[in-house]
Every structure is written in structure tokens, then in C-alpha cells.
């Protein structure tokens, strides 16, 4: 018995085709909404390079078994077998050429092949264990089965029906839940820390970003990705990636020049110590390595606009170098569940068997997909986790 999001439908299709009798129950009017909205409508359905290093979890080894048994290559084969054309965008990210709807249609077709019964919208009222069976009371009657698979996803996007139901059921049956937190989410800043950068909303620039640190919940990260300035703060792939590692009260670090591609890397001293630059205006020098609007904003911030480089004191140059290569700034917070793509935390992997996704505490109770304390990096890894965890669960039912 299931829920009908990405992992629920996928797992149901696989299990049905293994000859299992499957019923999918979901409270949503329309199934697969998270898939439909994903990847800008084209669904970044997996990543060619998906591997355990692309996941955050208190137990980093937990994903290994499922990912090894159902790697991205397997899902790509399935997509190709359904005649869905796709392309690689960036760092192994695979998107449908046409529409995310094709992935939803594929999942329904797989369910249909496995003679899966899908019932929605249905409200689940309670789940109880009755001897060897599970009794699921719904507003459409009582269902009994040998196994229940919880696949209600994470908390992002409450507007399309996200709930904490899997986490509630986990707690009801004695499993630990790691406190959930939004991730792959833009970060907000106070006016004081952000200064004049809010005037640059819409500007995107490749940067090197770092967040977290050793000993923190998910350790430290470093990404070379695009950063987007917005009215509320920072977004874009760089910041979304870093948001999972960032902890409240801690700074993030941005090297605005770190993603400049030069053989041997870019050395800031080239810019600062170049004799030819002495007679140039500060903002002109900055604009040789940064977008013009950002160069102007930095020069304004430091009171350097209109000043020749030769007139800038050593101390000011040092401060500018620090700003350009290691801007250490404390976000005020995240934009929350409404804007998050994924959830950090969830059902504690300590209480699950990574080979089957079954609860170690209850016979016949499984947790798969985004409700588990496994969160992927941006780039198709979250769907890959859904497919992999759904696949191993289906084999074990
Ligand atoms: C805007 C956006 C874009 C994204 N883009 C990508 C992307 O391109 N690539 C990628 O890898 N990941 C992406 N993600 C993340 C990805 O969508 C999730 O990781 C994935 O959908 C998780 O699958 P799931 O089946 O566990 O949960 P979901 O797909 O969220 O499915 C959960 C299902 O459970 C149902 N449900 C919830 N509560 C109840 C209840 N109480 N009773 C009955 N049913 C219930 C819901 O109706 C839903 O059908 C994106 C997420 C967002 C929000």
C-alpha cells in the first residue's frame, strides 16, 4: 500500500510487475505534481554521475546499497525504452527534451503493466498494526495488507499537498525522526549585511561557494556554480547547494573570482599588483573580472568609485581582496518550505535497513523516497534516490 508521488508510483510499478498485489492511496487530486513542476517543467530525472558523495544524511553509507542496485543507468534505460528523448545539461544532469509529463506518463504506464490499483484522492485516517496485517482506515473504507510503504515525500511546497505524514507514522511506530529543515532553498539577508547588493536582483555570476564545517551535521561543502542575486538575498544553484550545509548563525563564504576559468586558476594579485592598473579607476579594474553592475556596487560599497587604483590604500586593497575572494556573510535565514525543493532530515536511517528500506522495528513497514533522512544535491540526485529506494523496497515486498 502506497502514496502516489515519484517514489510511490515507481515502487508500485516495479512491485506490481514482480507479481505483487499493489494498491496506491494518495490524498492528492492530481498525482505526480512534484514531477510535473520539476526541472523547470522538463524534470531533471537523474544524474549520470549520481553516487553516495551527492547525498546528505547522518549516515553517509546508507545510500550505497540502493544506489548500487539501481544506479542512474537503469533508470535511463527505462526512460529510453519508453521512447522519451532527453539531453544532458550540466554536470551529468539529464532532462526530458519535451516535458516532465512524459515521466509521469511513464510511471503510470509501468503501474498499469504491473496491474497496480491507484485510488485518489483518499484521506488516510489511521494506520494500525493488527497481528501480521496492517489496517489502513481511509475515508473510502478499510484496507488490510501485509505491508505498508510510506512514501509521502518531504515538507517542501505545502501548497501542492506536502505533509509530515510519513514522519508522524514513523514516530507512531517507534522510529526516530531527524528534525526536518528546508534545503535547496534561497537564503535571505538583512539589509545591513546585504548592503547595496539588493539593487542587482536578476544578476547571475559563476562563483565558488563554501558552507558548513567539519563536525557540523552534514560537514562542509564547496561548489563552483552560478549564484543569482535576488531582491530577498541569494539564490541560484550555488546557494541552493550550499543551503543544505549551512546552519543558522553560521556564515557562508563566497569567492566571486573562484570560478574564473584560467589555466592554473585565477590569482587576484594579477589584478592588484599590475602596474598598468595604477592609472585606471577602481570600478574599471573590478569590471575586468566581474559583471559591470557588481563591480560598480563593490566599488560604491567601499567608497572607491572614481578613485584611481594608485590612490587606494594598501589596507583598502586588502579589504577589497578579502571581499572578492572570501566574502564571509551570515544569512538571516532561508525562504522556507514554500521555496525549498527538498527536506533535510526525516526518518532516521539507523532505524531502516538500507537493503530493503524496511523498518528495523516493525515487520512490513517501509519508508522510501524523500521522507527518509537522505537528501540529494541539486542536479537529479533526489529523483535518483526516489528510484533507487523504491526499487530495493519493491524487491523486498
Ligand atoms: C519545485 C521543485 C523542483 C524539483 N526539481 C527536481 C529535479 O529537477 N530533479 C530532482 O531530482 N528533484 C527535484 N525536486 C525534488 C523531487 O521533487 C523530490 O525529491 C521527489 O519528488 C521526492 O519524491 P517522493 O515520491 O518521495 O515525494 P513526492 O513526489 O513529494 O510525493 C509524495 C506524495 O505523497 C502524497 N501525500 C503527502 N501527504 C499525504 C497524506 N497525508 N496522505 C496521502 N498522500 C499524501 C502527495 O500527494 C504526493 O503525491 C524538485 C522539488 C521541487 C519542489
Amino acid at each position: 500500500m502506497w502514496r502516489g508521488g515519484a517514489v510511490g508510483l515507481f515502487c508500485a510499478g516495479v512491485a506490481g510487475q514482480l507479481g505483487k498485489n499493489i494498491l496506491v492511496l494518495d490524498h492528492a487530486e492530481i498525482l505526480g505534481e512534484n514531477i510535473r513542476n520539476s526541472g523547470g517543467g522538463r524534470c531533471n530525472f537523474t544524474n549520470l554521475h549520481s553516487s553516495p558523495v551527492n547525498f546528505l544524511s547522518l549516515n553517509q553509507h546508507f545510500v550505497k546499497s540502493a544506489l548500487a542496485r539501481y544506479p542512474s543507468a537503469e533508470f535511463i534505460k527505462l526512460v529510453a525504452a519508453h521512447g522519451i528523448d532527453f539531453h544532458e545539461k550540466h554536470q551529468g544532469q539529464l532532462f526530458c527534451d519535451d516535458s516532465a509529463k512524459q515521466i509521469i506518463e511513464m510511471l503510470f504506464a509501468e503501474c498499469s503493466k504491473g496491474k497496480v490499483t491507484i485510488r485518489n484522492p483518499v484521506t488516510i485516517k489511521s494506520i494500525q498494526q493488527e497481528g501480521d496485517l496492517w489496517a489502513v482506515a481511509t475515508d473510502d473504507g478499510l484496507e488490510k495488507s501485509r505491508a505498508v510503504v510510506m512514501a509521502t515525500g518531504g515538507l517542501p511546497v505545502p501548497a501542492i499537498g506536502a505533509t509530515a505524514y510519513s514522519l508522524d507514522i514513523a514516530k507512531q511506530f517507534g522510529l526516530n525522526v531527524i528534525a526536518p529543515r528546508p534545503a535547496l532553498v534561497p537564503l535571505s539577508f538583512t539589509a545591513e549585511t546585504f548592503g547595496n547588493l539588493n539593487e542587482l536582483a536578476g544578476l547571475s555570476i559563476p562563483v565558488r561557494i563554501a558552507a558548513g564545517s567539519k563536525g557540523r551535521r552534514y560537514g562542509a561543502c564547496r561548489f563552483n556554480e552560478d549564484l543569482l542575486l535576488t531582491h530577498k538575498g541569494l539564490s541560484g544553484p550555488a546557494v541552493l547547494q550550499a543551503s543544505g550545509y549551512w546552519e543558522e548563525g553560521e556564515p557562508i563564504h563566497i569567492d566571486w573570482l573562484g570560478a574564473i576559468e584560467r589555466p592554473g586558476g585565477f590569482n587576484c594579485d594579477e589584478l592588484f599588483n599590475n602596474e598598468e592598473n595604477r592609472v585606471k579607476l577602481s570600478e574599471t579594474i573590478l569590471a575586468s573580472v566581474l559583471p559591470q553592475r557588481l563591480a560598480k556596487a563593490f566599488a560604491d560599497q567601499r567608497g572607491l568609485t572614481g578613485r584611481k587604483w594608485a590612490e587606494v590604500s594598501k589596507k583598502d586593497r586588502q579589504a577589497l581582496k578579502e571581499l572578492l575572494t572570501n566574502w564571509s556573510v551570515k544569512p538571516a535565514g532561508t525562504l522556507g518550505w514554500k521555496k525549498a525543493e527538498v527536506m533535510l532530515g526525516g526518518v532516521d536511517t539507523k532505524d531502516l535497513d538500507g537493503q530493503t528500506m524496511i523498518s528495523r522495528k516493525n515487520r512490513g513497514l517501509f519508508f522510501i523516497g524523500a521522507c527518509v533522512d537522505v537528501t540529494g544535491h541539486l542536479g537529479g540526485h533526489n529523483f535518483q534516490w526516489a528510484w533507487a529506494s523504491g526499487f530495493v523496497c519493491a524487491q523486498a515486498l
Side-chain angles (χ1 to χ4, degrees), residues 4-64:
V7 71
L9 289 175
F10 179 71
C11 183
V14 175
Q17 290 176 44
L18 290 171
K20 316 274 162 72
N21 192 8
I22 306 297
L23 169 64
V24 174
L25 300 171
D26 199 298
H27 71 170
E29 290 271 351
I30 304 170
L31 300 188
E33 278 298 83
N34 253 343
I35 303 174
R36 203 181 317 274
N37 297 333
S38 67
R42 292 228 160 88
C43 187
N44 176 195
F45 56 80
T46 191
N47 191 297
L48 287 172
H49 315 302
S50 217
S51 82
V53 296
N54 300 113
F55 294 89
L56 289 82
S57 171
L58 285 194
N59 175 5
Q60 287 202 312
H61 302 291
F62 184 77
V63 297
K64 285 183 179 168

Side-chain angles (χ1 to χ4, degrees), residues 3-8 25-28 31-32 34-35 37-39 43-45 95 122 124 151-154 156-157 160-163 165 340-342 368-371 379-384 386:
R3 305 302 147 82
V7 71
L25 300 171
D26 199 298
H27 71 170
L31 300 188
N34 253 343
I35 303 174
N37 297 333
S38 67
C43 187
N44 176 195
F45 56 80
F95 288 76
V122 169
I124 319 281
T152 64
V157 204
I160 58 167
T163 71
Y165 198 51
E341 288 194 12
V342 294
I368 55 177
C371 67
H381 304 288
N382 284 292
F383 278 134
Q384 183 51 37

